Amino acid sequence: MGTENQTYLTEFILLGLSSDWQTQILLFVVFLIIYLLTLCGNFLIIVLIHIDSRLHTPMYFFLKNLSFTDLCFSTTVIPQMLFHLLVMRKTISFAGCSIQMIFFLIAGCTESSLLAVMSYDRYVAVCKPLHYSTLMTQRVCVQLIIGSWASGAIVSLVDTIFTLCLSYHGQNIINHYFCEPPALLKLASEETYKAEMAILAMGIVILLGPVSLILFSYWNIISTVIRIQSGEGRLKAFSTCGSHLIVVVFFYGSTIFTYMRPNSKKVNEGDKVISVFYSVITSMMNPFIYSLRNKEVKEAFRKAFGR
């Protein structure tokens, strides 16, 4: 293992975010807090939407699914990261690495589709309010959720197959804190051009496609909002759109940077920091930006907990 021979690898060594023991302890505390906030925030959203009939609307149906996706997304990465921050030798089996990559991609790609679906829902609500109830029926909402998960599964399958079908022998050190295609490709013992092109093509479908729909939706929402007579209404709408676009910049900006640029055999420390935004930070931010700021959710919280 880790020697220059032709036997296929059975495990990888992850370098993680830092090799300094004190820094690792500090990072452990920080990421533990982030993970607990992610769990609490998203579980709270799911429970409140489930128990409060006033939140049984298309928008909150999508938000509940986003929270579930965020729980899956963060759980594929952070628990292992926390464990590795407490040990000096950070190993993961080839099978474990493959499983983590599959589920990480499914959750991440599904979230990308879901964010686009949610922007479309808001576009219809703001720009076509008279047609909202006929366009966003329960059947349509369920179909959009199924489509989001299906697209996530397909992209994950393609990326994973092209990544894992390559030969891996010799070098087994991954300069990253979890297993994802761009980091793994750097260790491949053969030409990675086809795999890179496949990942790029899937990135266009699952990243550029949704982000284009999101920008189109919010452009039309903002254009409609500008025509609102009430200054308070405009301010509230701009505040909501602005906070949502922050998530779009964090999530799509960092994923596009990682997955849609030429592969390099070297991993910069900055690349690992950027990946923290989409693999860790956005799952924590989403419930606070999309849900917990909403008046209806605050009322549901007070009703549920007697405050």
Side-chain angles (χ1 to χ4, degrees):
M1 193 60 50
T3 60
E4 293 298 324
N5 54 51
Q6 295 301 307
T7 58
Y8 287 95
L9 300 175
T10 58
E11 72 172 13
F12 294 105
I13 298 173
L14 296 164
L15 293 185
L17 289 169
S18 174
S19 58
D20 180 71
W21 181 245
Q22 290 185 333
T23 304
Q24 286 190 186
I25 296 299
L26 176 62
L27 289 174
F28 174 84
V29 174
V30 170
F31 285 116
L32 178 62
I33 293 171
I34 289 175
Y35 188 51
L36 291 176
L37 286 173
T38 302
L39 292 179
C40 293
N42 285 293
F43 268 126
L44 180 61
I45 294 302
I46 293 172
V47 170
L48 290 178
I49 293 174
H50 180 74
I51 65 176
D52 197 309
S53 59
R54 294 173 299 176
L55 302 182
H56 293 174
T57 63
M59 182 180 82
Y60 288 106
F61 175 69
F62 295 135
L63 284 171
K64 182 166 71 172
N65 278 274
L66 179 68
S67 288
F68 175 73
T69 307
D70 279 329
L71 288 174
C72 297
F73 197 30
S74 58
T75 301
T76 60
V77 175
I78 302 181
Q80 179 203 258
M81 182 200 297
L82 292 173
F83 172 74
H84 281 166
L85 286 170
L86 295 178
V87 297
M88 294 306 296
R89 184 177 169 82
K90 305 168 179 57
T91 60
I92 184 170
S93 68
F94 190 94
C97 184
S98 304
I99 292 169
Q100 182 184 55
M101 184 162 57
I102 290 170
F103 285 102
F104 171 80
L105 287 171
I106 290 175
C109 295
T110 299
E111 176 148 339
S112 179
S113 298
L114 267 176
L115 291 173
V117 166
M118 289 166 57
S119 72
Y120 173 72
D121 171 69
R122 291 300 84 205
Y123 161 73
V124 176
V126 174
C127 301
K128 301 179 184 293
L130 298 179
H131 302 286
Y132 185 76
S133 58
T134 55
L135 289 173
M136 302 303 293
T137 62
Q138 184 178 14
R139 181 175 179 176
V140 169
C141 292
V142 171
Q143 289 174 338
L144 289 170
I145 292 299
I146 293 173
S148 296
W149 280 99
S151 64
I154 291 170
V155 172
S156 172
L157 187 64
V158 172
D159 283 2
T160 302
I161 288 174
F162 273 91
T163 302
L164 296 182
C165 281
L166 296 171
S167 298
Y168 294 93
H169 49 75
Q171 179 63 260
N172 72 330
I173 298 175
I174 302 176
N175 188 12
H176 208 13
Y177 59 92
F178 74 103
C179 293
E180 63 175 340
L184 211 56
L185 287 180
K186 301 180 193 308
L187 299 186
S189 304
E190 60 182 281
E191 176 58 51
T192 61
Y193 178 76
K194 289 183 180 179
E196 289 176 41
M197 289 302 102
I199 291 171
L200 178 64
M202 291 300 99
I204 292 172
V205 172
I206 206 67
L207 293 174
L208 294 188
V211 82
S212 298
L213 177 59
I214 289 170
L215 294 176
F216 169 81
S217 298
Y218 280 111
W219 174 261
N220 283 277
I221 289 171
I222 292 171
S223 299
T224 302
V225 166
I226 289 173
R227 295 194 292 269
I228 295 176
Q229 297 299 319
S230 167
E232 184 180 346
R234 279 200 300 269
L235 183 62
K236 181 180 178 181
F238 279 128
S239 174
T240 301
C241 289
S243 60
H244 290 189
L245 287 173
I246 289 172
V247 172
V248 170
V249 170
F250 271 117
F251 182 77
Y252 289 101
S254 55
T255 49
I256 288 171
F257 177 84
T258 301
Y259 282 84
M260 300 195 67
R261 61 182 180 134
N263 189 37
S264 167
K265 286 298 180 182
K266 292 184 178 180
V267 176
N268 297 319
E269 294 304 310
D271 294 346
K272 292 191 281 187
V273 174
I274 287 171
S275 67
V276 169
F277 285 109
Y278 61 81
S279 64
V280 177
I281 301 297
T282 52
S283 294
M284 178 192 69
M285 290 172 57
N286 284 343
F288 296 97
I289 287 180
Y290 282 106
S291 301
L292 295 176
R293 297 167 69 249
N294 294 0
K295 181 181 178 182
E296 296 89 345
V297 174
K298 290 178 180 178
E299 289 177 354
F301 180 84
R302 284 193 288 267
K303 179 182 177 183
F305 295 98
R307 290 192 171 187

